[in-house]
Amino acid sequence: MGVVTAQPERTRLVLARRIVPCLDVAHGRVVKGIRFVQLRDAGDPAEQAARYAADGADEIVVLDIAATPDDRSTSLATIGEIAERVFVPLTVGGGVRAVDDVIALLRAGADKVSINTAAVRRPALLAEASRVVGCQAVVAAIDAVRTPTGQRVVVDGGRTMTERSVVEWAVEAVEHGAGEILLTALDADGTRDGYDIELTRAIVDTVPVPVIASGGAGGPADFLAAFLDGGADAALAASIFHFGHCSIPELKTYLVANGVPIRPSEGRQ
Amino acid sequence: MTGAPRLVVVDYGAGNLRSLGGALDRIDANWRFAREPSDLDAADGIVLPGVGSAAPAMRVLRSRGLDRAIVGSHAPLLGICLGMQILCERLTEDEPVTGLGIVPGSVESLPDTVKRPHMGWNRVILTAPVRTEARGIERALEDWFYFAHSYAVRCSSRHVVATTSYGGMVPATITTGRAWGVQFHPEKSDRAGLALLAAFRDFCRGAKA
């Protein structure tokens, strides 16, 4: 055996763009709010995650939205149940304040941990976490809100406005050790009017790490725009998958037909 | 002696071992964690996971004597991600690190022309004809797998079984015959990953017989 051979045309490769269903979890149940208000119950986290994985989800994000406001840590038991049933990457966030939280979540079964408010308040947390678990496991989650003077970072689950520019914070977060940015446009979140393409593109063009676009997905065309126009490496959505507005296999078929590199659904190589 | 091959998963600290354990359960593997060198004595196959940085990983392996136990074992070995990289002789992250030296080669940063980490699903392609003795593993490699790494192995193409494309060809699977290293995470690669783990288990059964 031996020589690395040239690849024929059919196998010219590019990294697949990721379809990422998100489970917003509170008190061990999946919920999805319209701008974090008016929560509706959409089921059991492990059941949902297993269903998405079977449908071809490329990664699953679990955000414990009750963790920050209630000052409670993310339910480690819920994460463990998902990790034992689902063999795609699992990113977990919500209420992560210390390196010990990161380690506990990874041990429970998370592959990546997203840090939001605590990183804005103390950016060194990203560096400390990255040093211990590697930057590939540290995601900076950034919630953005449009203001007259540009996109600003908001924290505490969207309730506290900061003076920070989103682009500047994204750059700083990566410098501190974040290996990925989970970018949520709160103005678009829950509207189903489409991702904030301009904001996504601004971050993608500025940081040297993968970017997950989040907030506003209403249908397949929004994912296409996030990948082609926004340049996103991954696109996250919650309610359209939960409530059946869009299925992952149909979405993947649509994206492949439109030239987006996608991991094929099972059985189609 | 008959029966399922006994696999051990080397547990040497941080990281998500839950998914790997869950994946091995899913394929009905007979496995347990190895935390002491003696845990490797009766193993028919060794899985060396790895997440994080090379320096602390090697420090823990050395302090527990697991490094010599792994190198000294005759059982088939599967190194995953960082567990693949530390099969090599030398690693360079923030500081130079001496690896297990099972595969001649080094580990270096991915080029800065691509986003780092290389994070996501990428297609793996065999780069050598399938060998009869390892055909189960090698056939299972032609698929999509999940990668999450910033460093990559550099070694002779003699040891490279499969590659993926990311700013150039990146070794996705290396081998010395008994030892295998995969840069991706089979335990995070859905059915393709479970199929590869099952193929490794079957390879261990063959090696045991």
Side-chain angles (χ1 to χ4, degrees):
Chain A
M1 57 177 287
V3 184
V4 175
T5 54
Q7 293 170 14
E9 183 65 21
R10 72 171 174 84
T11 57
R12 274 189 58 235
L13 302 174
V14 257
L15 190 63
R17 306 298 173 107
R18 283 170 276 153
I19 304 299
V20 184
C22 174
L23 305 177
D24 288 347
V25 171
H27 319 293
R29 299 284 294 172
V30 180
V31 290
K32 176 61 189 177
I34 307 300
R35 299 194 193 186
F36 292 174
V37 188
Q38 202 68 31
L39 302 178
R40 293 167 67 185
D41 194 335
D44 168 56
E47 288 286 325
Q48 283 275 350
R51 198 194 88 196
Y52 287 143
D55 272 359
D58 298 308
E59 177 170 338
I60 290 168
V61 169
V62 175
L63 294 179
D64 191 333
I65 59 171
T68 297
D70 295 357
D71 197 29
R72 254 181 288 105
S73 65
T74 309
S75 165
L76 299 177
T78 300
I79 300 310
E81 285 169 25
I82 297 172
E84 284 178 355
R85 290 179 60 169
V86 171
F87 304 109
V88 299
L90 179 60
T91 300
V92 180
V96 176
R97 290 192 178 74
V99 174
D100 284 350
D101 298 333
V102 175
I103 292 170
L105 287 167
L106 293 180
R107 282 187 173 278
D111 299 291
K112 301 187 260 185
V113 173
S114 80
I115 311 178
N116 192 330
T117 303
V120 175
R121 299 236 160 92
R122 197 172 71 80
L125 175 58
L126 294 170
E128 293 163 11
S130 176
R131 210 174 299 126
V132 176
V133 301
C135 71
Q136 85 295 328
V138 179
V139 180
I142 304 177
D143 290 343
V145 162
R146 196 185 299 273
T147 73
T149 54
Q151 295 272 0
R152 290 282 175 265
V153 175
V154 292
V155 296
D156 295 328
R159 288 173 293 120
T160 307
M161 177 72 77
T162 75
E163 291 302 307
R164 302 218 59 157
S165 136
V166 172
V167 172
E168 283 172 23
W169 169 232
V171 169
E172 191 184 331
V174 172
E175 285 170 358
H176 277 284
E180 191 165 43
I181 301 288
L182 168 51
L183 176 67
T184 302
L186 282 193
D187 297 303
D189 200 32
T191 65
R192 298 179 57 201
D193 290 337
Y195 294 98
D196 187 331
I197 300 302
E198 192 185 339
L199 174 67
T200 303
R201 174 53 76 180
I203 302 300
V204 166
D205 285 347
T206 310
V207 297
V209 301
V211 175
I212 305 173
S214 163
D222 296 328
F223 287 84
L224 185 64
F227 294 135
L228 294 190
D229 303 330
D233 298 275
L236 177 149
S239 45
I240 63 160
F241 294 138
H242 291 335
F243 299 114
H245 301 308
C246 175
S247 82
I248 295 170
E250 285 166 4
L251 173 59
K252 285 193 158 186
T253 300
Y254 169 84
L255 292 170
V256 168
N258 283 278
V260 179
I262 289 288
R263 176 176 70 113
S265 298
E266 293 296 333
R268 286 189 291 114
Q269 291 266 327
Chain B
M1 186 187 149
T2 56
R6 288 158 299 184
L7 305 185
V8 296
V9 174
V10 183
D11 175 10
Y12 60 100
N16 169 14
L17 294 179
R18 192 111 175 210
S19 299
L20 183 55
L24 291 170
D25 285 341
R26 179 63 65 91
I27 63 165
D28 290 322
N30 172 15
W31 74 276
R32 58 190 170 79
F33 285 120
R35 301 190 172 95
E36 305 294 329
S38 59
D39 294 337
L40 271 57
D41 290 347
D44 299 314
I46 301 168
V47 181
L48 181 62
V51 166
S53 304
M58 283 306 301
R59 259 199 304 278
V60 176
L61 287 173
R62 289 213 176 86
S63 70
R64 298 196 195 164
L66 286 164
D67 58 331
R68 278 178 297 166
I70 292 166
V71 172
S73 170
H74 296 292
L77 172 63
L78 177 64
I80 295 173
C81 197
L82 180 65
M84 167 210 201
Q85 297 178 356
I86 61 179
L87 299 181
C88 295
E89 295 163 306
R90 297 174 310 282
L91 300 91
T92 307
E93 292 189 357
D94 296 334
E95 53 186 310
V97 177
T98 301
L100 296 171
I102 293 171
V103 178
S106 61
V107 175
E108 286 162 34
S109 178
L110 288 166
D112 59 12
T113 50
V114 290
K115 289 189 183 188
R116 289 177 294 188
H118 171 210
M119 175 110 68
W121 295 81
N122 213 331
R123 189 80 163 86
V124 171
I125 307 273
L126 281 175
T127 51
V130 170
R131 297 168 302 160
T132 307
E133 69 275 19
R135 65 174 181 270
I137 290 178
E138 295 185 354
R139 282 183 182 154
L141 286 169
E142 287 255 354
D143 216 319
W144 290 82
F145 291 94
Y146 181 75
F147 291 80
H149 64 113
S150 300
Y151 296 83
V153 169
R154 292 185 63 163
C155 67
S156 159
S157 61
R158 238 163 7 105
H159 298 296
V160 178
V161 180
T163 61
T164 195
S165 176
Y166 195 68
M169 295 245 266
V170 176
T173 307
I174 57 174
T175 188
T176 58
R178 154 183 101 92
W180 300 80
V182 291
Q183 184 59 74
F184 50 83
H185 286 273
E187 77 281 16
K188 289 282 132 189
S189 296
D190 211 347
R191 293 186 182 90
L194 296 175
L196 181 71
L197 290 171
F200 176 71
R201 175 203 58 203
D202 294 345
F203 180 79
C204 295
R205 180 186 292 133
K208 176 190 176 191

